[in-house]
Amino acid sequence: MITLRRLLALAGMPAGRVGLSVSLGTLAVGFGIALMTTAGYLISRAAEHPPILSLTVTIVAVRFFGLARPIARYLERLASHDLALRALGRIRARFYTRIEPLAPAELESYRRGDLLARMVGDVDALQGLYLRGIGPPLVALLTGTACVVATAVVLPAAAGILAFGLLLGGIAIPVLAGVLARAAGRRQAEARGELTAELVELLRGAPELVVYGREEDAAARIREADAELARLGRRDALLAGLADALSVLVAGLTAAGVLAVAVAAHDSGTLDRVLVATLALLALASFEAVASLPATARELSALLASGRRVLELVDRTPRVGDPVEPAPPPAARPAVALEKVTARYGDEEEPVLAGIDLRLDPGRRIALVGPSGAGKTTVANLLLRFLDPEAGRVTISGRNLREYRQRDVRRTFALAGQDAHVFDSTIRENLKLARPSARDDELDEALRRVRLGEWVASLPDGLATRVGEEGMELSGGQRQRLVLARALLADAPVLVLDEPTAHLDPATAEALMEDVLDAAGERTVLLITHRPEGLERMDETLVLDEGRLTQAEAAAVTTRSS
């Protein structure tokens, strides 16, 4: 119940819309019950061959209920699905709002496929929050109560039997179905996440798997995950069939009990014979209100399992946040410094950086070199406030980064990383990520500065050329140059180049660094690399090893990297 209440709070459903949908649902079910009941009364009364005029009211009632039922059901479907889809939109927006501050540092412990399953599959499952969590139980309560009251007016003994049957069918059996399905629902959500993660990994690593002949192993893992999900699905179907069978059995026994009591009342002279069949049909029809509850309970268990996976991310408190009273934005050409900074990710025992000092004065060019895993990218994460230091501080213009809004901090830096994402869109849209208002001539200038201008101009579609998923339609050098052009277009005062020559051959890497450093102009540059290209043009070269900084001559570093 706690999870359900929290999901309802996340959905933010307006009470008025919920009330309208429940009312229409109650009318739709009520009209169906009334149709069967009045039709039974009409048939029983007509069997006595009364004057036709005495049946007029009943005939009109049957027609009314027959016409009103589909109209009410149609309106209920409109209202309930409108409510569900609006709630899903709010959940999705709030979910993304809550997880956006977690990226990238605090989401690295999750597999990409599992994150995708949570963001898409688990969030989409919550559209049933009203359809499976609120609507059916409320409709069943209102309609069932009305049926018991109507039966009690005619024959109190029959009302007691009907009430007992509805309690069994509407509470006991759904609770049993929910309990049996709870563990299966949780395991199904986890199994879907695992299957999605394996599929994403297979698609991303397909070329390597084929080259090394391991595609069958990957396919076997996917088949195993799929088989586990299918096994859980079969078990869920078995439980569903059992619950449905119990519901039918309870409905039949209740109708038989009401019929027996009605016959006894007629034999004792306390009940008109016309009402015997009417009460039996009323009892049988009233189970329409609770017939869907076992399935609702099963689906609610799966929904809550998905909801817990969503809330697990929503509940995470970002380690990086904006101050209550932020400082004004930094100066146009600020000095940036790391002062005795110690940093670690999560609960790692050893810090990634230990007491380092680094200063970037306006216009200076600093190279930060070191082996992979030394903590170089962590420096970039600290500058962009993807991560806050455990000790020490990072400053812009002498102020701690924590005093600024994250947006203002990130406007100070333009990052061109080795793993920078290239979207499956056009060259134009990938560049305008840095500056949405940029004109085409400004985009052409940014491309010219990284020597992509002539190539783009030669393309049939020019800036409208699509680059493919993650830039797959581009060569390695073109992709890196596009990323760098985007960083230059941002026009930020500090340019952070994180392994800009990764995966490039030496000649291409040397040419790329010459072009980028020429295009950087008077900007402050932090070059993070483990390669020699561009080091001779740096004002200072620092070596980062095992989380500690030392100063080195550029020539010595170049020789070591080579």
Side-chain angles (χ1 to χ4, degrees), residues 218-453:
R221 289 196 301 271
I222 290 175
R223 284 194 294 269
E224 183 179 346
D226 182 63
E228 175 64 13
L229 186 58
R231 185 186 67 80
L232 293 172
R234 287 193 296 271
R235 180 181 176 185
D236 185 60
L238 178 62
L239 296 175
L242 176 62
D244 291 342
L246 288 175
S247 295
V248 172
L249 177 62
V250 169
L253 292 176
T254 301
V258 169
L259 180 61
V261 171
V263 169
H266 169 66
D267 290 342
S268 64
T270 58
L271 184 68
D272 190 306
R273 61 182 180 178
V274 174
L275 297 177
V276 172
T278 303
L279 287 176
L281 289 173
L282 172 60
L284 191 60
S286 64
F287 276 84
E288 180 184 348
V290 300
S292 65
L293 293 186
T296 295
R298 293 193 305 273
E299 294 176 26
L300 183 60
S301 294
L303 184 150
L304 292 178
S306 295
R308 291 185 190 98
R309 285 164 52 83
V310 169
L311 291 174
E312 180 186 336
L313 287 175
V314 170
D315 288 345
R316 294 192 64 168
T317 302
R319 295 190 178 95
V320 176
D322 287 334
V324 177
E325 297 182 3
R333 297 190 68 197
V336 180
L338 280 72
E339 302 173 357
K340 301 190 182 307
V341 166
T342 297
R344 77 177 76 229
Y345 291 99
D347 299 323
E348 292 180 357
E349 293 184 5
E350 294 295 326
V352 182
L353 300 176
I356 71 166
D357 290 288
L358 173 65
R359 184 170 181 83
L360 296 169
D361 289 318
R364 292 271 292 172
R365 296 180 174 183
I366 306 295
L368 187 61
V369 301
S372 298
K376 303 187 301 296
T377 299
T378 301
V379 173
N381 287 340
L382 287 165
L383 293 176
L384 293 165
R385 273 208 86 194
F386 292 153
L387 179 69
D388 275 342
E390 180 181 279
R393 66 176 192 158
V394 184
T395 66
I396 296 180
S397 299
R399 280 183 177 268
N400 194 321
L401 258 61
R402 299 174 193 259
E403 299 179 27
Y404 296 106
R405 293 183 305 174
Q406 296 174 68
R407 181 184 307 171
D408 293 333
V409 170
R410 289 163 191 164
R411 283 175 179 165
T412 303
F413 301 95
L415 174 66
Q418 60 175 323
D419 296 322
H421 190 75
V422 175
F423 290 86
D424 184 9
S425 185
T426 63
I427 294 174
R428 177 185 290 109
E429 293 305 317
N430 271 285
L431 289 173
K432 292 179 75 171
L433 181 68
R435 199 198 308 167
S437 61
R439 303 185 307 273
D440 279 1
D441 61 316
E442 294 173 318
L443 303 182
D444 291 335
E445 175 62 18
L447 291 169
R448 185 193 64 76
R449 292 163 76 183
V450 296
R451 297 195 185 184
L452 280 182

Side-chain angles (χ1 to χ4, degrees), residues 116-130:
L116 178 65
R118 292 173 191 253
M119 294 177 184
V120 180
D122 290 331
V123 170
D124 283 351
L126 298 183
Q127 67 181 304
L129 196 57
Y130 169 79

Side-chain angles (χ1 to χ4, degrees), residues 13 36 64 81 86 146 219 239 265 276 278 284 290 315 350 359 380 417 463 465 499 508-509 528 552 555:
M13 298 182 199
M36 180 173 286
F64 169 77
H81 284 78
R86 287 177 185 271
L239 296 175
V276 172
T278 303
L284 191 60
V290 300
D315 288 345
E350 294 295 326
R359 184 170 181 83
L463 290 169
T465 302
E499 301 286 2
T508 302
I528 299 172

Side-chain angles (χ1 to χ4, degrees), residues 23-178:
S23 298
L24 290 171
T26 301
L27 287 176
V29 175
F31 286 154
I33 296 171
L35 175 62
M36 180 173 286
T37 303
T38 52
Y41 176 84
L42 178 62
I43 293 171
S44 298
R45 186 76 177 92
E48 296 180 332
H49 303 289
I52 190 63
L53 290 178
S54 65
L55 301 176
T56 302
V57 174
T58 308
I59 293 171
V60 172
V62 170
R63 290 177 176 175
F64 169 77
F65 293 134
L67 292 172
R69 181 190 185 189
I71 294 174
R73 180 59 71 192
Y74 174 74
L75 295 175
E76 184 271 335
R77 287 286 187 265
L78 283 180
S80 62
H81 284 78
D82 177 73
L83 176 63
L85 293 174
R86 287 177 185 271
L88 178 62
R90 282 188 289 271
I91 290 172
R92 186 177 284 120
R94 292 174 180 179
F95 175 70
Y96 290 151
T97 300
R98 294 298 298 272
I99 68 170
E100 186 270 336
L102 300 176
E106 295 179 55
L107 295 179
E108 290 180 347
S109 60
Y110 295 91
R111 297 177 69 182
R112 290 187 179 185
D114 186 46
L115 277 176
L116 178 65
R118 292 173 191 253
M119 294 177 184
V120 180
D122 290 331
V123 170
D124 283 351
L126 298 183
Q127 67 181 304
L129 196 57
Y130 169 79
L131 300 174
R132 298 291 178 262
I134 302 176
L138 291 178
V139 169
L141 176 63
L142 294 174
T143 310
T145 301
C147 290
V148 171
V149 170
T151 304
V153 171
V154 179
L155 187 62
I161 295 174
L162 178 59
F164 181 72
L166 289 175
L167 288 174
L168 284 178
I171 297 179
I173 295 176
V175 167
L176 177 63

